Amino acid sequence: MSQTRQLSATLLSIAVVATMVGSVVLFGAAVAPAAASDHTKDEAEDLTEQADFEVVLPYSTDHYPGDQNEANGSIEYYAAGGDAFGEVGAEEGLWVDYVIIDAQWIDYSNCDVSNTKAFGIDRGNNNDGTQTDVDLVQKQKNVDFRDDGITIEIYDFSDFAGDPAYMAPEDAIVAAQGAGSQAGTCLTMTSEPGWYQVQGFINGTVADNGPDEEPSDSAEEVGFKLNSNYLYVCDCDSEQEAREQLGPPPNEDTQSTATPEPTATPEPTPTPEDTSESTATPEPTATPEPAATPDTSDSEETPEPTDAPADTAQSTDAPQNTEAQSDDDSTGMTPTAGEGPGFGPAVAVLALLASALAAIRRR
């Protein structure tokens, strides 16, 4: 009887322990992926400049507003990590956990896995079109097509099924929904014409042991966000028509506004230089002309009327008579012929010659 009770107690203890272990395993498996997605995305850095994320709407009708093209759009994505891997410390690559597309202007809710034409990794980013080297469709653990994007969870090393996905910095993720898939087109664009972008997000575990081995327990969870090129939505059959209706995309509009500023700055710079040169030119030209005129006249006329400049301006005869009078007064001669009775024309001539000689001696 006692042996039976001991056996029952032992079996009960084993059952309790097994139940507790099972609960811990299930709980851990359930919460780990959620923590990787929510936490990393909220803190992810925008590394658009360090990577390359291009989105293509392959057909002209894909650009039509949703009220004119409901559930009939297609889309392609090409995302290369590049230097963004080094920015987050994943130089050796990344074991991908989540790939998320956010686009509030695109409704994906009518899509399913069967509407996916391609989803994979292009090793070395050297394939044409949407061709890939590693198929990620088979590595998808969960996929949620939302009314504003897609959330894709990839198998990791903690899962019992499926294989993890390794991505190197030189690789690219390529994806496409719509035309060419098993179920065909499914996207609906916004009904509001304009220029729009798609935001991509990727996170995972740093491949600190390389692409062939499971990462260590200390490997970090990292992630980053990328913004795509601008895409137009309007009743347009070409980008040229879109530019005519919507104007250039925001990034080009900002550049064109800043362009004329440096162009206009150097243009007025030579204008004052030319003005100063033209202003300085007439000054030396005009200066010698009036300067030469007084110099020439002064040098010729000024030395003669040294004692009487006022009389020089009146006539050349006046200074001669003035000088003769001063000389005659000193000798006691009378310059007028009619003032003395014994003086005739000959005496007058002699008086004039004497005054002339006196003037020459003074010079």
Side-chain angles (χ1 to χ4, degrees), residues 73-75 111 114-117 176-187:
S74 302
I75 194 169
C111 301
S114 59
N115 296 106
T116 299
K117 173 185 176 182
Q177 279 94 33
S181 65
Q182 180 181 352
T185 57
C186 60
L187 304 179

Side-chain angles (χ1 to χ4, degrees), residues 9 18 72 78 111 114 167 174 185 189 211 217 244 251 269 276 292 307 310 317 326 347 350:
N72 193 42
Y78 304 89
C111 301
S114 59
M167 181 179 180
V174 177
T185 57
M189 305 300 168
D217 294 337
E244 293 174 358
N251 59 330
T269 303
S276 61
D307 298 331
D317 295 334
S326 62
V347 177
L350 289 174

Side-chain angles (χ1 to χ4, degrees), residues 35-279:
S37 173
D38 297 340
H39 176 74
T40 309
K41 181 180 178 182
D42 292 342
E43 298 184 356
E45 186 178 359
D46 185 346
L47 298 179
T48 302
E49 297 298 326
Q50 288 78 16
D52 184 16
F53 183 31
E54 182 179 2
V55 176
V56 176
L57 300 181
Y59 304 101
S60 59
T61 53
D62 298 332
H63 297 269
Y64 285 5
D67 53 4
Q68 302 181 40
N69 195 43
E70 186 175 358
N72 193 42
S74 302
I75 194 169
E76 298 175 355
Y77 319 82
Y78 304 89
D83 295 337
F85 276 65
E87 291 290 328
V88 297
E91 294 86 352
E92 298 297 324
L94 196 68
W95 292 101
V96 181
D97 288 335
Y98 280 86
V99 175
I100 299 177
I101 295 295
D102 289 317
Q104 296 182 354
W105 55 284
I106 303 177
D107 186 354
Y108 291 84
S109 59
N110 288 317
C111 301
D112 203 340
V113 176
S114 59
N115 296 106
T116 299
K117 173 185 176 182
F119 179 43
I121 295 177
D122 176 8
R123 295 290 186 216
N125 191 21
N126 55 11
N127 288 334
D128 295 330
T130 57
Q131 297 180 11
T132 60
D133 299 303
V134 178
D135 183 15
L136 292 180
V137 174
Q138 301 301 321
K139 298 178 183 294
Q140 295 177 155
K141 181 178 180 180
N142 291 304
V143 182
D144 181 17
F145 291 93
R146 301 175 276 112
D147 58 3
D148 59 354
I150 313 171
T151 300
I152 303 171
E153 181 185 3
I154 306 297
Y155 286 110
D156 61 23
F157 288 99
S158 65
D159 296 318
F160 293 104
D163 296 324
Y166 169 80
M167 181 179 180
E170 63 271 16
D171 297 340
I173 290 180
V174 177
Q177 279 94 33
S181 65
Q182 180 181 352
T185 57
C186 60
L187 304 179
T188 302
M189 305 300 168
T190 178
S191 298
E192 185 66 29
W195 293 96
Y196 298 92
Q197 287 180 292
V198 174
Q199 185 182 82
F201 165 77
I202 181 174
N203 82 340
T205 306
V206 174
D208 57 354
N209 288 328
D212 300 322
E213 295 185 20
E214 183 177 348
S216 66
D217 294 337
S218 61
E220 295 184 355
E221 292 279 341
V222 297
F224 55 87
K225 292 179 286 191
L226 304 175
N227 288 311
S228 75
N229 52 299
Y230 279 92
L231 300 153
Y232 62 89
V233 173
C234 62
D235 187 4
C236 311
D237 291 328
S238 67
E239 183 176 346
Q240 181 61 34
E241 289 187 18
R243 290 175 176 270
E244 293 174 358
Q245 291 187 28
L246 307 174
N251 59 330
E252 291 185 15
D253 189 33
T254 302
Q255 295 175 0
S256 62
T257 303
T259 300
E261 293 180 358
T263 304
T265 302
E267 291 182 356
T269 303
T271 304
E273 293 176 2
D274 296 341
T275 305
S276 61
E277 293 175 2
S278 61
T279 305

Side-chain angles (χ1 to χ4, degrees), residues 301-313:
E301 298 177 7
T302 303
E304 294 180 2
T306 303
D307 298 331
D311 294 338
T312 303

